[in-house]
């Protein structure tokens, strides 16, 4: 079974101060497109192919998926949607959540997921 790679869009986008706040949908689109290669290559500890899910919220909720990256709109809290996704789809297979959010990290670890920071998929990210 393929590893589930869940990306916290808001957190990863916010990790690089590149003007994302002027065009949140565009920033989410750029992140989504940059994740496509990870569907085949995976991460160092989780070689591909992997299932990539980008959880979007707010202005980015309308962002469609592309081959290799499924988008999942959070009707409310993106963190709550990520926790629900991990609980529903990660049972019996490896799951990695990409976020720097400490509270979210604790919540998904309690469900058995691994966590890594934004730098894993966005090398220019701080921290």
């Amino acid at each position: 079974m393929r590893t589930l790679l869940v990306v916290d869009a808001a957190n990863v986008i916010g990790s690089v101060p590149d003007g994302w706040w002027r065009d949140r949908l565009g920033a989410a689109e750029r992140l989504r497109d940059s994740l496509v290669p990870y569907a085949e290559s995976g991460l160092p500890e989780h070689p591909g192919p992997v299932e990539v899910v980008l959880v979007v919220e707010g202005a980015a909720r309308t962002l469609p998926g592309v081959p290799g990256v499924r988008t999942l709109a959070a009707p409310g809290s993106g963190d709550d949607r990520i926790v629900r996704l991990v609980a529903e789809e990660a049972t019996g297979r490896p799951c990695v959540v990409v976020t720097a959010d400490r509270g979210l990290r604790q919540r998904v670890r309690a469900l058995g997921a691994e966590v890594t920071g934004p730098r894993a998929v966005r090398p220019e990210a701080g921290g």
Side-chain angles (χ1 to χ4, degrees):
M1 211 179 252
R2 293 188 302 164
T3 296
L4 178 63
L5 180 64
V6 181
V7 180
D8 178 356
N11 188 270
V12 173
I13 290 167
S15 68
V16 177
D18 61 0
W20 58 263
W21 51 89
R22 290 188 293 267
D23 180 12
R24 293 170 193 260
L25 179 58
E29 183 176 24
R30 289 187 298 278
L31 175 59
R32 179 203 60 200
D33 295 348
S34 75
L35 294 173
V36 170
Y38 290 97
E40 283 302 315
S41 68
L43 297 174
E45 300 82 23
H46 296 278
V50 301
E51 180 183 353
V52 180
V53 180
L54 179 65
V55 178
V56 294
E57 59 187 283
R61 258 191 231 122
T62 60
L63 184 69
V66 295
V69 179
R70 175 170 51 125
T71 59
L72 186 60
S77 162
D79 291 1
D80 290 346
R81 187 62 189 103
I82 290 168
V83 170
R84 195 164 57 253
L85 172 66
V86 170
E88 293 170 353
E89 297 190 27
T91 303
R93 67 171 164 162
C95 177
V96 179
V97 177
V98 181
T99 187
D101 182 301
R102 289 182 188 165
L104 178 58
R105 284 174 167 248
Q106 290 177 336
R107 293 172 68 190
V108 296
R109 277 188 179 131
L111 295 170
E114 295 177 42
V115 295
T116 190
R119 210 177 277 213
V121 296
R122 200 162 180 199
E124 71 276 22

